[in-house]
Amino acid sequence: MCGITGYIGYREAYPIIIQGLRRLEYRGYDSAGVVLFDGQDINLSKTKGKVSELEKKVTEGVSTKGNIGFGHTRWATHGVPNHINSHPHLSQSGNLVIVHNGIIENYDTLKKELLSRGYKFHSDTDTEVLINLIEEIKLQENCKLGKAVQLALNQVVGAYAILVFDKNKPNELVVAKLGSPIAMGIGKDNKEFFIASDATPFIEYTKDAIYLEDGELAIVKLDRDIHIRKINDDQIVNDLRIQQLQLSLDQIEKGGYEHFMLKEIYEQPSAITDTYRGRLLANKGIIKMAGLDDNLERFLNAKRIIIVACGTSWHAGLVAEYLFEEIARIPVEVEYGSEFRYRNPIITENDVVIAISQSGETADTLAAVKLAKSKGAFVFGICNVVGSSIAREAHAGAYTHAGPEIGVASTKAFTTQITLLSLLALKLGKEKGNIDTPSYQTYLQEMVQIPSKIEKLLGEDAHVKKIAAIYKDLPNFLYLGRGYNFPVALEGALKLKEISYIHAEGYPAAEMKHGPIALIDENMPVAVIATRRGHYQKVVSNIQEIKSRKGIIIAIVTEGDTTVKDIADHIIEVPETLEAFTPLLTTIPLQLLSYHIAVMRGCNVDQPRNLAKAVTVE
Ligand code: F6R
């Protein structure tokens, strides 16, 4: 849940590390730190707050010299975010230094043992325990750093990606991973190496990267090579699995937008096109997707589909429940990863489990995947981040190809997940004979229209901004939708609360009268999705009920609607589409509404408080 990045080579390490930390800040931003080795001393600087705070602190006097170093941007797990708990952490002797992403679950037992051996601790972190454990083993066994790290990790229960340096062995870095991601970039002729939680910190330097696998340890030696071995049995990994990165610099920059979130909202037409490109051949009536085609029988024989996910991805799963049940007629259950994994779920070999995750690293979803696999279910992963843990753990899967999502609040991940899930549902519906050819063709033809319809909808941005300005100071919002748009109501509410800190609830519109209607008064804005298709008349009645209690209606309606226009305080029109695809359109104005409200309230929309992009802890 933290970001780590390091460098060893011939360039000045500091600017590379700081730039890398800025790119990794989406992973956590409550404190930051950097360590550099100048050939003689270890110079360490850390602070509570963001990377910008760290930069200020460094300019106040710490040396930034050195060709070796690493940095950390933190999302606190053990110990409050403060200067002392920030990483990097030094060992007792001051010779070893570490940054860590993850949790050492048995840190308390290890700490007691080290305390009994005279170690003193300055922070509340599990990481300081780990670096002292490494130091103790190194002394006891009189071994090299790599071996000491390996022996220490064999005593550890938990998850980690770590980067360790020994002042007495200044030409190497030790990297290890279990459960948290880590990538290594290889410079020309092994003259420099980069290490980071994802590849973004080093894309301008090299395209050659290795993603360490769980249970592996790498020794990165300057002017030599990377040596990888298994942590538990010393086995050497001969195949370094060097990959060519597809990422480009402009994909991870703001490209003229004020925030990543806005850029990513505007990227949705192209992101959705990238999701179906090569998979949807609308004119030929073909949907092809290797992960599905190769395992078609498993899907067709499935007694049910269980979808596991968290947050926004879980909302995409709820939309999929409607899609699969209506189009493919397969029963679906949608589960939070965190609930699924701990309630002894009944899973059989006849089940297909679909795990949805933008990052592919969400700990609860990953654990649900492992559990489902252990019970014999077939697991299909829908991830955005290529090579991520869930993508690798699943039996098969498909990437959304949305491009990097850097804003902490998910936007394009949601609509691209729904796009992919729609293709799955349509293909299965067709194969099972549950959808007739003309309807199938209509869906396919309509899907390729969605990007241009979103493009048109983005033209409503200024109008949405005006509505945002009117209600930005109110303390509560309600979001209502029915059918396919009930999950969109949940998603709209989540977007608002996470980036603007306004309390918001999403409800199925008809449930309102079973409780939430008590909240309605002249200060309660209610965003209602009232598109012409799907329960339209029922939603109009729900709008009347709100209006008669003086609630404020912001209605998302189909272009040309007149009925709701007469009742609502504001309408935002979306282009006409098939009911099953309405979430792809109705979501957009709700994303924009939250974005503008948050900006007007002075919130940091790309890095909302207490959040991080990838939740790699339970
Ligand atoms: C909300 C948001 C989170 C994520 C959730 C799952 O905007 O971003 O709710 O959707 O943490 O993350 P992934 O999809 O990476 O598994």
Side-chain angles (χ1 to χ4, degrees), residues 228-348:
I228 303 181
R229 61 177 182 240
K230 299 276 183 201
I231 294 167
N232 61 357
D233 64 3
D234 234 0
Q235 195 190 321
I236 305 292
V237 177
N238 290 317
D239 176 9
L240 288 185
R241 309 178 302 261
I242 300 174
Q243 311 185 1
Q244 283 295 303
L245 294 172
Q246 302 299 325
L247 213 61
S248 67
L249 203 54
D250 54 328
Q251 279 182 301
I252 59 159
E253 287 181 339
K254 284 191 199 149
Y257 288 90
E258 201 184 333
H259 297 101
F260 281 111
M261 183 179 174
L262 189 62
K263 177 183 177 226
E264 288 155 9
I265 291 173
Y266 272 79
E267 275 174 350
Q268 287 175 106
S270 62
I272 288 174
T273 310
D274 289 343
T275 303
Y276 68 61
R277 175 173 292 122
R279 291 169 169 157
L280 170 60
L281 310 175
N283 290 336
K284 295 187 178 160
I286 293 173
I287 292 171
K288 53 179 188 157
M289 207 183 293
L292 174 60
D293 297 342
D294 296 347
N295 300 286
L296 203 53
E297 287 308 309
R298 287 299 300 244
F299 276 92
L300 295 178
N301 295 330
K303 294 270 176 285
R304 63 177 176 165
I305 291 176
I306 304 169
I307 297 177
V308 290
C310 301
T312 290
S313 297
W314 185 78
H315 296 157
L318 288 180
V319 175
E321 181 176 15
Y322 289 87
L323 287 164
F324 283 118
E325 294 202 339
E326 183 184 336
I327 299 173
R329 305 299 298 151
I330 304 174
V332 175
E333 286 169 28
V334 188
E335 301 263 6
Y336 285 115
S338 54
E339 290 298 314
F340 181 78
R341 63 185 289 198
Y342 285 121
R343 65 167 175 75
N344 195 12
I346 299 164
I347 313 165
T348 73

Side-chain angles (χ1 to χ4, degrees), residues 310-313 356-360 362 408-410 494-495 498 615:
C310 301
T312 290
S313 297
I356 310 173
S357 174
Q358 187 287 130
S359 61
T362 300
V408 164
S410 236
L494 176 63
K495 279 303 79 99
E498 69 181 328
V615 184

Side-chain angles (χ1 to χ4, degrees), residues 187-489:
K188 202 162 173 273
D189 301 327
N190 292 332
K191 294 270 180 249
E192 58 180 352
F193 296 98
F194 306 80
I195 297 105
S197 299
D198 69 33
T200 56
F202 54 80
I203 42 170
E204 61 264 63
Y205 302 104
T206 179
K207 295 279 183 220
D208 292 335
I210 301 171
Y211 287 86
L212 216 55
E213 297 274 346
D214 273 350
E216 288 181 347
L217 177 145
I219 300 177
V220 181
K221 288 197 181 188
L222 193 55
D223 291 331
R224 302 262 296 279
D225 208 342
I226 294 181
H227 299 271
I228 303 181
R229 61 177 182 240
K230 299 276 183 201
I231 294 167
N232 61 357
D233 64 3
D234 234 0
Q235 195 190 321
I236 305 292
V237 177
N238 290 317
D239 176 9
L240 288 185
R241 309 178 302 261
I242 300 174
Q243 311 185 1
Q244 283 295 303
L245 294 172
Q246 302 299 325
L247 213 61
S248 67
L249 203 54
D250 54 328
Q251 279 182 301
I252 59 159
E253 287 181 339
K254 284 191 199 149
Y257 288 90
E258 201 184 333
H259 297 101
F260 281 111
M261 183 179 174
L262 189 62
K263 177 183 177 226
E264 288 155 9
I265 291 173
Y266 272 79
E267 275 174 350
Q268 287 175 106
S270 62
I272 288 174
T273 310
D274 289 343
T275 303
Y276 68 61
R277 175 173 292 122
R279 291 169 169 157
L280 170 60
L281 310 175
N283 290 336
K284 295 187 178 160
I286 293 173
I287 292 171
K288 53 179 188 157
M289 207 183 293
L292 174 60
D293 297 342
D294 296 347
N295 300 286
L296 203 53
E297 287 308 309
R298 287 299 300 244
F299 276 92
L300 295 178
N301 295 330
K303 294 270 176 285
R304 63 177 176 165
I305 291 176
I306 304 169
I307 297 177
V308 290
C310 301
T312 290
S313 297
W314 185 78
H315 296 157
L318 288 180
V319 175
E321 181 176 15
Y322 289 87
L323 287 164
F324 283 118
E325 294 202 339
E326 183 184 336
I327 299 173
R329 305 299 298 151
I330 304 174
V332 175
E333 286 169 28
V334 188
E335 301 263 6
Y336 285 115
S338 54
E339 290 298 314
F340 181 78
R341 63 185 289 198
Y342 285 121
R343 65 167 175 75
N344 195 12
I346 299 164
I347 313 165
T348 73
E349 288 166 8
N350 296 322
D351 292 327
V352 166
V353 171
I354 299 181
I356 310 173
S357 174
Q358 187 287 130
S359 61
E361 301 295 344
T362 300
D364 287 321
T365 310
L366 181 59
V369 165
K370 289 181 179 164
L371 176 68
K373 272 176 82 180
S374 73
K375 306 248 180 188
F378 177 75
V379 180
F380 190 86
I382 295 184
C383 299
N384 188 36
V385 177
V386 176
S388 54
S389 301
I390 293 169
R392 281 185 282 118
E393 191 68 38
H395 292 113
Y399 288 113
T400 46
H401 296 307
E405 190 181 65
I406 292 166
V408 164
S410 236
T411 51
K412 63 178 178 173
F414 181 63
T415 45
T416 53
Q417 286 163 350
I418 295 173
T419 303
L420 196 53
L421 289 157
S422 304
L423 297 185
L424 280 179
L426 284 162
K427 172 108 186 184
L428 293 176
K430 185 77 169 60
E431 292 289 335
K432 283 177 92 76
N434 287 328
I435 179 169
D436 60 58
T437 304
S439 309
Y440 175 75
Q441 283 296 352
T442 307
Y443 275 113
L444 267 49
Q445 294 296 343
E446 181 59 19
M447 178 55 89
V448 293
Q449 301 303 319
I450 293 293
S452 57
K453 291 187 177 181
I454 295 179
E455 205 75 69
K456 187 171 178 209
L457 192 45
L458 289 167
E460 291 294 300
D461 193 1
H463 170 56
V464 177
K465 193 172 175 179
K466 280 189 195 143
I467 300 172
I470 302 171
Y471 301 112
K472 68 177 172 42
D473 295 319
L474 290 181
N476 298 293
F477 270 69
L478 269 182
Y479 287 75
L480 303 178
R482 290 182 88 130
Y484 282 97
N485 284 296
F486 158 52
V488 176

Side-chain angles (χ1 to χ4, degrees), residues 26 64 132 149-150 228 305 322 336 339 418 601 616:
Y26 72 88
T64 58
N132 281 318
V149 172
Q150 184 183 0
I228 303 181
I305 291 176
Y322 289 87
Y336 285 115
E339 290 298 314
I418 295 173
R601 287 166 70 91
T616 56

